[in-house]
Amino acid sequence: MTGSVWSLLLVAVLVALTYKRAPLKMSAISLGIFAVVAFVGGAATTIAVIAALVAIACGVLSLESFRANTITRPIFSLYKKILPKMSETEKTALEAGTVWWDGELFSGKPDWHTLLDHPNPSIPPEEQAFIDNQLATLCSMLNEWETAQNGDLSKEIWDYIKKERFLSMIIPKSYGGLGFSAQTQSHILQALTVSGAAFTSVGVPNSLGPGELLLKYGTQEQKDHYLPRLADGREIPCFGLTGPRAGSDATSLPDTGVVCKGVWEGKEVLGLKMNFEKRYITLAPVATVVGLAFRMFDPEGLIGDKKDIGITVALLPRHLEGMDIGNRHKPVGSPFMNGPIFGKDVFIPLDFIIGGAANAGQGWRMLVECLSVGRCITLPSSGAGGGKYAIAASGAYARIRRQFNVPISKLEGVQEMLARIAGNTYTASAGARVTAIAIDEGHKPSVPSAILKYNLTEIARDIANDSMDIHGGKAIIRGPKNYVESGYSSVPVAITVEGANILTRSMITFGQGMIRCHPFVLPEMHAAQQNDLKAFDKALFGHFGFIFSNFSRSAVLNLTNAAFTSVPVTGPTKKYYKQINRYAASFAVMVDMCAFSLGGELKFRELISARLADMLSKMYLASMVLKHWEDQGAHKADLPLVEYSCQKLFSEFETAQDGLIKNLPSRPVAAILRVLTMPLGRVAKAPSDKLVAKIVDLVTSHNETRERLIAGTYRGETISNGYAETLRNPLAVYDGLLDRVEQADVIYKKIGTALKADKYDEATLSIEGRITDGVKMGILTADEGEFMLAFEKDVLDMVHVDHFPLEHFGPVAENQDTPKKAATTRKKKADASEPEAV
């Protein structure tokens, strides 16, 4: 063999060993054998020597004790010097929650069994019965227009929410709560997206708030007192974290609690004098108990030597002297209860701290641990539920709304939006459902919570925009008939709360994931902090092997478009699993190269961090889509939704990947990344027009795919008394119209043929007139005419928008003439111009 062939063989061996992540000893033996074979086989001496030297290096490096003392020790000393110090709040945030599928994606070589072997439980019968009965009843009572006019949910609705314990889904049955699974909570909240006020009022107490904090950290006395009262609605909770000077930077709380002595119930006790100002607090105006986060200080050393004790969380009854609560904010889009809370020299006993005095200073840990679960359920449910409602309504509306003598669902501009709503809804539903099941299995997925919070609320924004555009004029006129506007108007709330999306994308998702999910970064940091050379050596050389392996995997998978990577599935989705393997290898390389080239500066390069967060998010969501399809029975009819979702997510992944490479400050590193991760350029293609048309056919007619996509939306016949009369549920009406639309299409076609043959009088422009005349002329049968008139009546009812008397919106301005007022004015002027009688 020629020298070139031997060189290629050596490269192939090195790539194979790193690709398979072979241990150092195995690599040493393999390369030693190659060196001998190459020497005997007549290869150039240089080839054999290189192989032998690499084999010796691997062999030496496999001697852990020698390696640690001669190679790792100086690196360890330097690492400890440059390792930035972390505050306790940063450590707490980074170590909160657990690592699940997100860790597999960071590994560069995801083990698909971790996800595919994940359970697929159905909702328990008792919880399903609640969904079928109490939830359906509550949904039938909700009318967002009526709520907007009244400024709150009705007393009847509030009483029903409390009576049926909707506020206690997370409270165990032993305390009188419902004790529902995370999957059921998500299902309920998705259905309640028909009303922003109901969704928020139910969602917040079941997310971050006093209930969850008490469950996890409260004293037994606190649990026994508060949890039953929270469960049955005697207590309404709120939680005060955000203030005028502490929004996204929640750790910079200016609110204080100073340890002092005071009088409580006639006795002198140790307690806290509190001063605080909170805003944007959901349920505050009606709350009876306030969870409050504040900075605790002990300047006189009354409970210990530490002066600045740190962030603490306490429960404050509403009636406390010095606390001002009851005013309201007016959130955009939905009139849910929200308002400020003020406190001036409010005294509470130390027992009011959640968990008692022993939990003083533990508030930040408590909050971030709770957020890792709550953010996976409540706000992601708004994206999934809002999407289901939007596609159920928009798909049907586009099918029955005709322009240019065809349903608007046949217009390609509308089709593009319908497909986008459907694909986004499928993605959001998959992410919300599969991650909720992970919570039920005991995971506390902090990084996925950030992924879902950001991506699913942004999906909700895109869905709302598309739905508004499809409905056109119907969506921009407010009134009881407008089922689109409230969701559109209230989207910014979800975007902003529980960690603003800008912050979540640019700082939290990747910043936390890099340390929490990377297989070696956190072990290296822990080893340095504990001054453990042996542990650091193991992590460091594991990290080196990890980097070399991902270099090889990325190069091979990208050059072959993942053709030879193995995945544990067969069938039409196999190619998507392979692509995620390719992307994971590329992502792992980019993470380490960005960290290498930017060092500590990476923390402040938010656009770089944001693009890495986007890459991680798209892989995570695509994985959820694939798992969701398998869990639902791998129905072939649903494949267009899977294909659209994956293709869209993959295209977005490569957009972020390409953007990162173009903007990485170190151009040599960027060039290496371009060669390793995008040697063939952008490969992913956006969904085709043909695929878009397939999806539109699925979401604009009755079929099992549409039923699975919109499962969980309330489709009962009526909703509560509206502004003027009892309203029919739009989704129920649309279900009836879709049942009849194909029969109507045949009749439309007959009328169209007759029009082309000039059988109609041109003066007959209305469809009702053409139906009536068509029966008279024998173009239509009497039964067809009767059917069509009833069908058109229902269509027109859904197309109509509301109109109100002019006086409905308040007194008319003095300088504004109404027709009635103008006539009166003209008469007065005419009278004034007549001469006075003598």
Side-chain angles (χ1 to χ4, degrees):
M1 289 189 289
T2 65
S4 298
V5 173
W6 279 109
S7 297
L8 289 174
L9 283 174
L10 177 58
V11 171
V13 170
L14 290 170
V15 169
L17 289 171
T18 52
Y19 185 95
K20 291 293 186 181
R21 299 186 179 176
L24 286 168
K25 288 182 181 178
M26 181 183 294
S27 298
I29 294 170
S30 300
L31 287 165
I33 293 172
F34 179 88
V36 172
V37 171
F39 182 77
V40 173
T45 304
T46 306
I47 300 296
V49 169
I50 290 174
L53 289 174
V54 177
I56 292 169
C58 289
V60 171
L61 291 175
S62 69
L63 303 174
E64 295 179 2
S65 179
F66 173 79
R67 179 185 72 203
N69 287 295
T70 57
I71 299 173
T72 305
R73 189 175 294 279
I75 298 174
F76 189 42
S77 299
L78 178 62
Y79 184 88
K80 287 188 289 185
K81 290 179 182 178
I82 63 174
L83 181 66
K85 289 186 177 180
M86 268 193 242
S87 67
E88 286 301 316
T89 53
E90 286 180 308
K91 288 181 183 178
T92 299
L94 289 171
E95 296 181 12
T98 58
V99 176
W100 178 54
W101 181 246
D102 43 329
E104 293 295 330
L105 295 173
F106 263 92
S107 76
K109 188 181 180 182
D111 179 0
W112 284 102
H113 291 290
T114 300
L115 184 62
L116 294 178
D117 294 345
H118 194 61
N120 177 30
S122 57
I123 291 176
E126 180 184 354
E127 297 178 15
Q128 186 62 53
F130 185 93
I131 289 169
D132 296 338
N133 295 287
Q134 287 93 328
L135 176 61
T137 299
L138 177 58
C139 288
S140 74
M141 300 168 71
L142 297 171
N143 180 344
E144 191 71 343
W145 172 255
E146 186 179 50
T147 301
Q149 301 311 297
N150 296 335
D152 188 14
L153 297 169
S154 68
K155 182 178 185 303
E156 178 190 16
I157 293 174
W158 270 114
D159 288 345
Y160 189 79
I161 286 172
K162 294 175 185 178
K163 174 178 172 288
E164 297 300 338
R165 308 188 179 220
F166 277 89
L167 303 181
S168 66
M169 290 190 287
I170 64 170
I171 295 177
K173 294 177 184 177
S174 58
Y175 289 104
L178 294 174
F180 281 170
S181 63
Q183 185 181 187
T184 297
Q185 291 176 50
S186 178
H187 190 105
I188 290 170
L189 291 171
Q190 287 181 41
L192 291 180
T193 54
V194 294
S195 166
F199 174 89
T200 305
S201 299
V202 171
V204 169
N206 287 290
S207 183
L208 176 63
E212 188 173 14
L213 291 166
L214 283 167
L215 272 173
K216 295 182 178 178
Y217 311 107
T219 65
Q220 193 60 51
E221 183 180 2
Q222 289 171 338
K223 292 177 183 179
D224 291 341
H225 174 75
Y226 277 112
L227 291 178
R229 299 170 66 85
L230 289 169
D232 62 22
R234 282 176 289 167
E235 301 277 10
I236 300 295
C238 71
F239 188 80
L241 176 60
T242 305
R245 290 185 172 84
S248 295
D249 185 11
T251 60
S252 63
L253 294 172
D255 311 294
T256 61
V258 179
V259 179
C260 64
K261 292 181 180 180
V263 177
W264 181 255
E265 296 181 345
K267 297 180 182 179
E268 186 179 71
V269 297
L270 269 181
L272 297 165
K273 181 189 287 186
M274 304 187 65
N275 288 279
F276 51 86
E277 181 179 353
K278 303 291 188 181
R279 65 180 182 182
Y280 312 145
I281 311 306
T282 299
L283 295 183
V286 295
T288 61
V289 59
V290 179
L292 199 80
F294 58 95
R295 285 283 297 277
M296 183 171 167
F297 297 91
D298 183 16
E300 298 180 23
L302 296 176
I303 62 172
D305 297 331
K306 195 173 183 182
K307 307 297 183 186
D308 184 352
I309 295 175
I311 295 175
T312 303
V313 179
L315 286 180
L316 281 64
R318 183 187 182 98
H319 61 75
L320 287 174
E321 184 179 351
M323 184 159 72
D324 182 6
I325 180 172
N327 287 342
R328 289 186 66 178
H329 297 310
K330 192 174 183 180
V332 296
S334 180
F336 62 89
M337 284 292 171
N338 189 280
I341 306 174
F342 306 95
K344 176 67 173 176
D345 294 337
V346 179
F347 180 79
I348 62 169
L350 290 179
D351 290 346
F352 281 22
I353 296 172
I354 295 181
N359 268 357
Q362 298 300 309
W364 187 242
R365 175 180 62 84
M366 293 157 64
L367 293 175
V368 295
E369 288 179 357
C370 287
L371 272 173
S372 67
V373 174
R375 289 209 307 172
C376 272
I377 300 173
T378 304
L379 290 175
S381 297
S382 72
K388 289 179 178 182
Y389 190 95
I391 195 59
S394 299
Y397 177 84
R399 183 68 178 85
I400 62 102
R401 172 69 166 158
R402 296 175 69 87
Q403 294 287 279
F404 311 107
N405 294 319
V406 295
I408 64 170
S409 62
K410 298 297 183 183
L411 306 177
E412 291 188 350
V414 174
Q415 288 185 339
E416 180 182 28
M417 293 183 178
L418 281 173
R420 191 159 57 219
I421 295 173
N424 278 336
T425 299
Y426 193 81
T427 298
S429 299
R433 179 188 155 276
V434 177
T435 309
I437 292 172
I439 293 170
D440 286 331
E441 291 298 308
H443 294 284
K444 297 178 181 178
S446 54
V447 174
S449 77
I451 291 172
L452 292 188
K453 194 280 170 181
Y454 171 76
N455 285 274
L456 269 58
T457 55
E458 290 294 338
I459 279 176
R461 173 151 51 188
D462 291 341
I463 286 172
N465 285 336
D466 286 338
S467 189
M468 286 286 289
D469 286 352
I470 290 169
H471 283 82
K474 179 173 175 59
I476 63 172
I477 302 301
R478 286 177 167 166
K481 290 180 179 293
N482 191 335
Y483 47 81
V484 182
E485 182 268 337
S486 65
Y488 171 83
S489 299
S490 61
V491 157
V493 175
I495 298 293
T496 304
V497 301
E498 288 196 18
N501 278 9
I502 292 175
L503 174 74
T504 301
R505 173 178 178 253
S506 62
M507 294 177 65
I508 294 176
T509 303
F510 176 73
Q512 189 172 24
M514 168 69 182
I515 296 175
R516 193 75 182 91
C517 300
H518 193 289
F520 298 104
V521 169
L522 194 57
E524 287 168 345
M525 292 173 64
H526 281 161
Q529 289 162 357
Q530 296 165 9
N531 200 32
D532 188 336
L533 176 63
K534 184 177 180 181
F536 183 80
D537 173 77
K538 182 179 179 181
L540 179 66
F541 277 86
H543 198 159
F544 285 152
F546 177 78
I547 292 171
F548 289 130
S549 171
N550 286 320
F551 269 46
S552 295
R553 285 180 57 77
S554 182
V556 171
L557 294 178
N558 281 294
L559 284 169
T560 62
N561 198 25
F564 303 112
T565 183
S566 61
V567 292
V569 297
T570 57
T573 59
K574 180 179 180 179
K575 58 186 176 183
Y576 298 124
Y577 287 84
K578 286 175 169 281
Q579 289 304 311
I580 293 174
N581 277 358
R582 177 170 75 89
Y583 289 143
S586 296
F587 176 71
V589 168
M590 297 184 88
V591 167
D592 279 314
M593 292 297 280
C594 286
F596 167 76
S597 63
L598 291 170
E601 187 186 351
L602 179 57
K603 180 178 179 180
F604 305 101
R605 298 304 296 257
E606 293 177 22
L607 291 177
I608 298 295
S609 178
R611 293 185 180 99
L612 288 164
D614 288 344
M615 294 166 68
L616 176 63
S617 297
K618 306 313 172 185
M619 289 191 292
Y620 183 86
L621 291 174
S623 304
M624 299 297 103
V625 164
L626 296 172
K627 169 64 172 169
H628 183 63
W629 184 71
E630 294 284 350
D631 284 351
Q632 287 199 317
H635 297 285
K636 188 176 180 180
D638 297 355
L639 273 175
L641 290 169
V642 177
E643 291 169 347
Y644 184 99
S645 300
C646 287
Q647 289 174 21
K648 180 175 180 289
L649 290 166
F650 291 170
S651 178
E652 291 167 347
F653 178 98
E654 292 192 7
T655 296
Q657 181 182 17
D658 185 53
L660 187 150
I661 292 172
K662 286 178 178 177
N663 289 281
L664 198 63
S666 173
R667 301 318 298 159
V669 172
I672 293 171
L673 288 178
R674 177 73 67 183
V675 170
L676 287 175
T677 68
M678 301 188 84
L680 305 178
R682 294 192 59 166
V683 176
K685 296 179 180 178
S688 67
D689 296 350
K690 186 176 180 181
L691 180 56
V692 164
K694 283 183 181 179
I695 289 176
V696 171
D697 286 342
L698 289 173
V699 298
T700 57
S701 63
H702 275 317
N703 56 72
E704 291 184 357
T705 295
R706 181 176 183 270
E707 289 299 311
R708 282 188 287 271
L709 183 62
I710 66 175
T713 52
Y714 173 67
R715 292 152 73 186
E717 182 62 26
T718 60
I719 56 180
S720 71
N721 287 335
Y723 182 72
E725 58 185 13
T726 298
L727 297 174
R728 298 175 70 192
N729 182 356
L731 299 191
V733 177
Y734 280 136
D735 280 346
L737 287 169
L738 288 180
D739 285 335
R740 296 179 282 164
V741 71
E742 290 188 11
Q743 183 179 349
D745 281 343
V746 175
I747 301 172
Y748 281 130
K749 188 173 182 181
K750 286 185 177 182
I751 294 172
T753 301
L755 280 168
K756 289 179 181 178
D758 292 327
K759 293 184 179 181
Y760 278 101
D761 182 349
E762 283 298 319
T764 308
L765 294 177
S766 73
I767 184 64
E768 291 82 3
R770 287 171 178 172
I771 293 167
T772 303
D773 288 356
V775 172
K776 291 177 181 177
M777 291 186 289
I779 296 168
L780 305 177
T781 67
D783 287 345
E784 287 176 329
E786 183 181 355
F787 166 84
M788 204 62 187
L789 286 172
F791 180 78
E792 278 297 324
K793 180 179 180 297
D794 286 342
V795 168
L796 194 60
D797 182 57
M798 295 308 294
V799 172
H800 267 317
V801 298
D802 298 283
H803 50 88
F804 305 89
L806 187 58
E807 295 77 12
H808 168 77
F809 299 102
V812 178
E814 285 299 320
N815 62 348
Q816 177 66 48
D817 280 348
T818 67
K820 183 177 179 180
K821 185 177 177 183
T824 303
T825 303
R826 284 195 300 272
K827 186 175 185 304
K828 286 182 178 179
K829 287 181 178 178
D831 292 343
S833 65
E834 294 176 359
E836 292 183 1
V838 177

